[in-house]
Amino acid sequence: MKTENLIASGREVLMNTYNRYPLALVKGEGTRVWDVDGRAYLDFVSGIAVTSLGHGHPLVVEAMKEQLGRLVHTSNLFWQENQIALARKLTSFSFADKVFFCNSGAEANEAAFKLARKFARVHGKSSKTQIISLQNSFHGRTFATLAATGQWAYQKDFVPLMPGFSYVTLDDGEALRAAVNEETAAVILEPIQGEGGVHPVSADFMRLARALCDEHEALLIFDEVQCGVGRTGRLFAYEHGDVIPDIMTLAKALGNGAPMGAMLAADRVADAFQPGDHASTFGGNPLVTAAGCAVLDVMMAPGFLEEVRTKGASLKHALQKVADACWDGAPVRGMGLLLGVTVGEKAPGLVAQCRERGLLINCVGGETLRFLPPLTVSREEMDEAMGILGQLAMNHG
């Protein structure tokens, strides 16, 4: 079936919830994907930071194939060895002591909000129900995570929003001081706002959030759904600084395409959850946790994350050269292989032009180009991508 026929068929049966590109992908290998017509593309979107080990990574594929032949699913009423193994890896590599598995980033954040409120209640603070997030943040599309998302464009058609959420401006310390009080259950931050335009949170603001949460007996939640699991060149983005959260949420790259999320917490917080407080039918089933174990084995191999940091610095330098030449020196933001540059209203057109030339990138906020190649991307592939982008920017951008 050709692209136009597949698209026409899809429009007949799929709800219109995505502004889909006129592209139907059917195959992937490493950093490249192929459409239904056989054309190849460099994938610098990676399923929005999901296929961070590239498409069809042999160790992930083998782990899932082996597990597929043994046991795909069993209820969380039973203990599961892969689930325990993955939780052991995550806690060994992080501040956390316990893990709750689910299916997505939104579900991980839902679990974090519930845990924050339950923690307050267990400690005799039932009035502590408020969650503070940032303007321009993105935490999901369920009703609670939508209320936590500080972007009216996502919220406007679904009011009234769930109560108990408020927002402060990124890096506005005075606003944060004014917002956190004795009714605050938690503050949630993305160390790097991904959907909001690739905006890192400053170290000073993170330290202030930590101090205010400690002062008011609130919890600090880091949403690392997009920026975690190797994307910044550390396994977790919080490792770049000196601030340790109480709760961290993960998803996207954790399964390299297998749908999974996780909510991690220190024992003193995690102990607030008891049987019946929260659950997920498919969360952490044997198949997806087999994939997760393989992902972490690859990422924690000697030299892997150091190489991500090196490649990230090279890509950022190359992208800045394009920005200096074509976009009045617009600063390239982000770290590792999560990078963005604001180019104005020409951004969507550049995304389309890149796609026509065989490079997949995307645009956030209508003005920012975002670059999310697999962590396994080669230097030759980065050079190829920057060559395409630079030529288009010079001619049209």
Side-chain angles (χ1 to χ4, degrees), residues 2 93 136 142 210 229 292 371:
K2 296 298 184 181
F93 298 140
N136 214 38
T142 62
R210 177 73 275 173
V229 195
F371 301 83

Side-chain angles (χ1 to χ4, degrees), residues 257-280:
M260 66 183 313
M263 187 265 291
L264 285 65
D267 267 336
R268 74 176 188 90
V269 177
D271 288 348
F273 264 177
Q274 295 298 310
D277 284 339
H278 201 51
S280 173

Side-chain angles (χ1 to χ4, degrees), residues 39-359:
R39 188 179 179 196
Y41 303 82
L42 276 173
D43 185 4
F44 272 49
V45 178
S46 301
I48 311 182
V50 170
T51 51
S52 286
L53 296 182
H55 298 278
H57 191 284
L59 294 184
V60 178
V61 169
E62 185 57 35
M64 294 187 73
K65 285 172 64 178
E66 193 276 335
Q67 187 60 47
L68 193 62
R70 293 179 57 207
L71 181 68
V72 172
H73 177 78
T74 183
S75 167
N76 278 309
L77 293 172
F78 305 100
W79 296 96
Q80 302 174 37
E81 58 182 349
N82 289 350
Q83 189 179 97
I84 295 167
L86 181 55
R88 180 74 64 187
K89 292 176 188 293
L90 288 169
T91 56
S92 296
F93 298 140
S94 74
F95 70 91
D97 301 304
K98 296 291 194 303
V99 182
F100 171 82
F101 287 112
C102 50
N103 309 289
S104 67
E107 290 176 64
N109 286 330
E110 288 270 354
F113 299 152
K114 286 183 69 174
L115 181 58
R117 285 189 173 179
K118 180 70 187 299
F119 176 82
R121 184 172 293 273
V122 165
H123 289 81
K125 306 284 187 180
S126 58
S127 64
K128 296 176 73 66
T129 61
Q130 303 299 301
I131 309 290
I132 298 170
S133 67
L134 299 184
Q135 295 284 357
N136 214 38
S137 61
F138 185 88
H139 299 291
R141 297 177 188 269
T142 62
F143 265 106
T145 58
L146 183 66
T149 292
Q151 298 192 55
W152 180 242
Y154 292 113
Q155 300 171 331
K156 59 185 176 62
D157 292 327
F158 303 101
V159 293
L161 299 175
M162 182 175 290
F165 295 86
S166 60
Y167 323 98
V168 299
T169 303
L170 173 67
D171 288 343
D172 187 338
E174 290 307 308
L176 186 63
R177 288 182 189 277
V180 180
N181 56 42
E182 295 309 309
E183 295 184 351
T184 303
V187 174
I188 182 168
L189 308 174
E190 301 160 275
I192 302 176
Q193 292 184 337
E195 299 304 312
V198 192
H199 293 283
V201 177
S202 72
D204 285 345
F205 192 79
M206 287 194 199
R207 283 191 285 267
L208 177 61
R210 177 73 275 173
L212 290 171
C213 286
D214 291 342
E215 178 184 346
H216 293 277
E217 298 181 294
L219 300 180
L220 181 60
I221 304 169
F222 279 1
D223 177 343
E224 295 211 14
V225 168
Q226 185 169 137
C227 65
V229 195
R231 178 55 52 182
T232 66
R234 303 282 182 190
L235 190 60
F236 306 116
Y238 81 83
E239 296 180 86
H240 291 280
D242 56 2
V243 176
I244 307 298
D246 300 298
I247 299 173
M248 177 171 64
T249 56
L250 306 171
K252 290 190 181 289
L254 189 55
N256 206 58
M260 66 183 313
M263 187 265 291
L264 285 65
D267 267 336
R268 74 176 188 90
V269 177
D271 288 348
F273 264 177
Q274 295 298 310
D277 284 339
H278 201 51
S280 173
T281 296
F282 297 104
N285 77 28
L287 183 63
V288 298
T289 48
C293 284
V295 167
L296 290 189
D297 286 345
V298 172
M299 289 193 182
M300 297 310 293
F304 182 89
L305 292 174
E306 181 181 0
E307 179 72 1
V308 173
R309 296 194 293 274
T310 301
K311 288 189 289 192
S314 296
L315 184 61
K316 190 172 188 178
H317 177 73
L319 186 54
Q320 190 63 64
K321 287 179 66 176
V322 176
D324 290 343
C326 303
W327 303 317
D328 298 324
V332 178
R333 302 183 299 274
M335 61 178 66
L337 291 170
L338 168 52
L339 301 173
V341 57
T342 299
V343 302
E345 62 184 14
K346 62 176 72 75
L350 277 168
V351 169
Q353 291 164 16
C354 284
R355 185 172 65 249
E356 291 168 4
R357 291 284 303 276
L359 170 63

